[in-house]
Amino acid sequence: MIRAVSHRAPSPASPIAVDPGNRFGRLMVREEAEPYLWRGRFSRRRWTCDCDCGGSAVVREDSLLSGHTTSCGCWRDDVVRDRATRHGARKDDRRRPEYQAWQTMLHRSQDAPVCARWRAPDGKGFRQFLADLGRRPTRAHRLVRLDPSRPFAPANCRWVKNPPRAGVPRRLITVRGRRLTLRDAAAEAGIAYATLCKRLERGWTVKAALTP
């Protein structure tokens, strides 16, 4: 048995009664089905309906009349598909490298700020990111900030081919005239050792990297 999936899509005014041939959204009533039983003693009428997409569903009468169910579930699938593709983030069911770079950038926003334009909701941020930087030219290109001390923004980011990995620049750093290991400096500043390493890798100054 195929069950209907509920959603809140708007639907045209429903007929007062349910009869074969009546339409409810994408559903056309075909015939009455077995009633819905609750704990073996409470029943509601159910109807077998054909959907415009070619599928079918058995739907409770009250769900049809209230407009709660107006498709076999295809409407929900269309919405999910649209959310996944409306910003061009997928190709052949795989995420595009530009979308992966954009998401990685957002996940790093705690350490490296991202401009409001690229953080816009509902897929708009990614579309604007793509419009500003374009597609990644080759697999060897990576998203790079031209000035590591400035936020991710159109004027400060480029696709760069084979950018060098900075790595942790040094095992000892000078903090207020003292030479400390990275781990000791991180502990003294009250930040995670990994956070300090990442900040230095990204070109932060020692003073900025040690700021909690």
Side-chain angles (χ1 to χ4, degrees):
M1 180 184 297
I2 302 177
R3 293 186 177 180
V5 178
S6 300
H7 55 74
R8 296 181 179 179
S11 60
S14 301
I16 296 176
V18 179
D19 292 301
N22 286 161
R23 172 170 289 277
F24 297 85
R26 296 185 180 184
L27 297 175
M28 179 74 75
V29 178
R30 187 202 315 160
E31 60 187 4
E32 188 166 1
E34 291 292 322
Y36 170 76
L37 301 178
W38 184 71
R39 295 184 179 179
R41 56 188 175 84
F42 180 78
S43 65
R44 291 185 180 179
R45 298 179 73 182
R46 298 197 303 174
W47 297 85
T48 301
C49 303
D50 296 320
C51 188
D52 290 348
C53 72
S56 63
V58 176
V59 189
R60 280 179 14 191
E61 183 174 271
D62 59 314
S63 294
L64 289 172
L65 292 173
S66 67
H68 189 64
T69 302
T70 58
S71 80
C72 68
C74 61
W75 183 88
R76 177 203 59 193
D77 295 340
D78 289 347
V79 170
V80 172
R81 189 180 302 111
D82 178 67
R83 286 175 179 170
T85 61
R86 64 185 172 184
H87 43 48
R90 287 184 176 272
K91 181 180 180 181
D92 301 328
D93 291 329
R94 292 178 295 179
R95 289 184 174 181
R96 288 185 179 274
E98 299 84 7
Y99 186 72
Q100 292 178 326
W102 176 71
Q103 283 208 320
T104 299
M105 174 189 69
L106 295 181
H107 291 161
R108 291 171 56 185
S109 63
Q110 189 172 18
D111 290 333
V114 178
C115 66
R117 174 178 171 81
W118 289 352
R119 290 186 286 104
D122 301 326
K124 187 177 180 180
F126 175 72
R127 291 196 298 271
Q128 294 178 153
F129 170 82
L130 199 60
D132 292 335
L133 299 185
R135 298 288 183 190
R136 186 180 71 167
T138 70
R139 297 181 65 180
H141 283 73
R142 298 291 183 269
L143 179 64
V144 171
R145 278 183 299 160
L146 303 180
D147 183 349
S149 65
R150 295 174 55 199
F152 284 97
N156 193 41
C157 291
R158 294 288 185 275
W159 294 113
V160 176
K161 187 175 182 179
N162 294 320
R165 295 184 63 86
V168 178
R170 46 197 170 274
R171 295 295 177 183
L172 293 173
I173 57 176
T174 301
V175 182
R176 294 188 291 277
R178 295 179 300 149
R179 297 286 285 174
L180 299 175
T181 66
L182 296 180
R183 193 172 296 279
D184 288 343
E188 187 174 286
I191 63 175
Y193 169 71
T195 298
L196 175 59
C197 291
K198 289 180 180 178
R199 288 177 176 180
L200 293 175
E201 286 176 4
R202 294 166 185 166
W204 289 38
T205 65
V206 171
K207 181 178 180 180
L210 289 172
T211 302

